[in-house]
Amino acid sequence: MSAGKSYRLLLVSTPLGPLGSGVGGGVELTLLNMLDALAQRGHCIQVVAPQQSHLPNTPVITVAGSPQIPAQTQTRQTPIHLPENSVLANMWWQVMTLQSEFDLIINFAYDWLPLYLTPFLDTPVAHLISMGSLSDAMDQIIGQIAEQFPHTIGVHTQAQANTFPFAQHCHPVGNGFNLDRYQFTPTPKDYLCWLGRVAPEKALEDAVTAIDQTGQALKIMGHIQDQAYFDQIQAQFPQANIDYLGFLDTAAMQAVLRYSRGLLVTPRWVEAFGNVVIEALACGVPVIAYHRGGPAEIVQPGQTGWLVEPDSVAGLVEAIHKLPEIDRQTCRQQAEQEYSLTAFAQRLEQWFAKILSQPST
Ligand code: HBI
């Protein structure tokens, strides 16, 4: 397809929960950002998502049914699971009936079924894989589709791709954000932030331990996926100055984030990307991150934040003391250069053109 061609795109959301609920984690924001990025470039987009999904200004084809179990709570050998009246299966039934109206289908689910169905569909499917390797069954089916349909496996970062045995078949697209929604703030107030799903793989306890040692204030925002885990952290650090603000929409979240001295990013797993890293940089907020996964490919040490030895709380404390060395304007500039909607749209169009230039098998 020639450059500048406009595509008819069908975006199929994660089956974890409704768009706008936060249950889908980073994938919800990624889908919104992709929608903004591509609509601005004149592409025609429709979205299929679980019932109760909401999008600011795009019609959603909503589908009823039972949600999938979050893949990251499973083991590597967990068999493929589809609940009775699966919303995932119901969404892809909808996709099958609609497919002829589109040039390309884009799958956001980290689940076996959409990958398995790819050869059965007439319209090409691009899979945006949102996490690193988690199970043998997913690795197997993604690898099989990567071989059979070249270029159709998209990832966010090379670090994420490298967790898979078929890394060389993955197409990194980064991510993109509507930076107008984030207000650059040159002068911070006296607190740090931690953002994300509150779950063991995000290692919130490390951030709380670090601020307990430095006496700093920590504001926490995000969907509590594992309440027992959160309760245990609070019980372990009764004196820590932490303030949980809930899962806020972007506008409310960035109104707090923008005044933060720094964002702590403490993934225990290989974070595929780290949307929160870009959201912080967009506000001019330096990022302290473990040298692991996507955030380690984004943060420029000494320029836009600090990279810390993974799982080292002492490293977090040391980096917190070095935050004043970072120029907050540089943080905003990196977001504008690499992670704007325009930059993302260009990477996506290149990816789609590669997929659609393949001889249809
Ligand atoms: N688990 N089964 C399943 N399906 C998903 O689409 C999924 C998930 N776990 C987490 C998740 N998506 C997103 O929150 C992350 O990819 C960001």
Side-chain angles (χ1 to χ4, degrees):
M1 298 241 176
S2 63
K5 165 133 184 58
S6 88
Y7 299 127
R8 298 167 301 161
L9 304 167
L10 182 62
L11 275 51
V12 190
S13 186
T14 169
L16 279 198
L19 280 171
S21 66
V23 172
V27 161
E28 289 191 37
L29 188 56
T30 300
L31 189 149
L32 274 177
N33 292 332
M34 187 184 291
L35 191 55
D36 282 353
L38 294 170
Q40 272 178 10
R41 308 268 290 197
H43 302 291
C44 308
I45 303 168
Q46 289 213 34
V47 177
V48 174
Q51 63 189 353
Q52 270 100 45
S53 288
H54 293 287
L55 284 175
N57 44 28
T58 306
V60 188
I61 300 163
T62 58
V63 178
S66 312
Q68 286 297 112
I69 297 169
Q72 69 279 16
T73 64
Q74 312 285 286
T75 69
R76 288 206 65 85
Q77 284 72 37
T78 304
I80 296 304
H81 171 95
L82 279 172
E84 175 265 336
N85 187 32
S86 155
V87 70
L88 179 64
N90 295 343
M91 283 199 293
W92 282 84
W93 179 270
Q94 190 75 264
V95 167
M96 186 189 64
T97 63
L98 294 167
Q99 62 173 320
S100 60
E101 299 165 33
F102 297 93
D103 301 308
L104 184 65
I105 298 160
I106 301 157
N107 168 44
F108 286 79
Y110 191 97
D111 289 282
W112 180 86
L113 185 65
L115 286 145
Y116 180 74
L117 291 176
T118 301
F120 295 87
L121 291 162
D122 301 322
T123 300
V125 185
H127 299 279
L128 183 50
I129 304 299
S130 60
M131 295 182 281
S133 169
L134 285 178
S135 74
D136 297 345
M138 277 300 284
D139 282 9
Q140 187 275 326
I141 193 68
I142 300 171
Q144 179 185 319
I145 296 303
E147 288 278 346
Q148 203 177 340
F149 298 90
H151 306 299
T152 61
I153 302 302
V155 294
H156 290 295
T157 60
Q158 194 54 50
Q160 177 198 355
N162 294 342
T163 66
F164 294 107
F166 46 81
Q168 75 280 15
H169 291 303
C170 295
H171 191 101
V173 295
N175 209 323
F177 296 76
N178 177 352
L179 300 177
D180 298 342
R181 302 177 72 187
Y182 302 86
Q183 293 159 277
F184 172 68
T185 309
T187 311
K189 294 175 182 169
D190 195 17
Y191 60 81
L192 297 168
C193 274
W194 187 95
L195 299 179
R197 276 180 300 112
V198 178
E201 68 269 15
K202 302 280 189 175
L204 172 59
E205 67 272 22
D206 288 11
V208 175
T209 309
I211 60 109
D212 191 50
Q213 290 176 14
T214 59
Q216 302 267 340
L218 180 69
K219 293 190 183 297
I220 300 166
M221 291 174 274
H223 171 70
I224 296 185
Q225 181 171 303
D226 185 331
Q227 185 63 51
Y229 166 71
F230 191 38
D231 294 344
Q232 189 227 324
I233 292 172
Q234 289 175 295
Q236 192 180 350
F237 299 97
Q239 306 308 325
N241 182 354
I242 60 175
D243 185 13
Y244 174 65
L245 302 178
F247 171 75
L248 307 179
D249 67 18
T250 299
M253 180 279 288
Q254 75 90 33
V256 174
L257 175 61
R258 60 186 287 220
Y259 289 107
S260 164
R261 291 186 55 241
L263 176 73
L264 300 181
V265 182
T266 55
R268 195 71 81 214
W269 67 342
V270 173
E271 193 72 47
F273 185 72
N275 289 342
V276 297
V277 172
I278 311 305
E279 295 185 291
L281 296 178
C283 295
V285 174
V287 176
I288 293 171
Y290 284 154
H291 201 299
R292 174 184 278 154
E297 280 183 39
I298 299 168
V299 176
Q300 296 164 356
Q303 296 297 315
T304 58
W306 300 102
L307 292 178
V308 168
E309 182 200 339
D311 311 321
S312 163
V313 171
L316 294 175
V317 172
E318 185 190 339
I320 288 169
H321 293 310
K322 295 197 299 183
L323 280 171
E325 294 175 33
I326 302 295
D327 175 351
R328 293 169 74 94
Q329 183 71 46
T330 309
C331 298
R332 172 72 190 193
Q333 282 163 357
Q334 182 186 4
E336 288 173 352
Q337 281 151 17
E338 299 175 41
Y339 301 108
S340 67
L341 290 181
T342 303
F344 189 35
Q346 286 164 345
R347 292 193 289 265
L348 290 169
E349 287 168 352
Q350 285 161 10
W351 179 32
F352 299 162
K354 271 195 168 180
I355 295 171
L356 296 173
S357 64
Q358 292 301 312
S360 52
T361 46

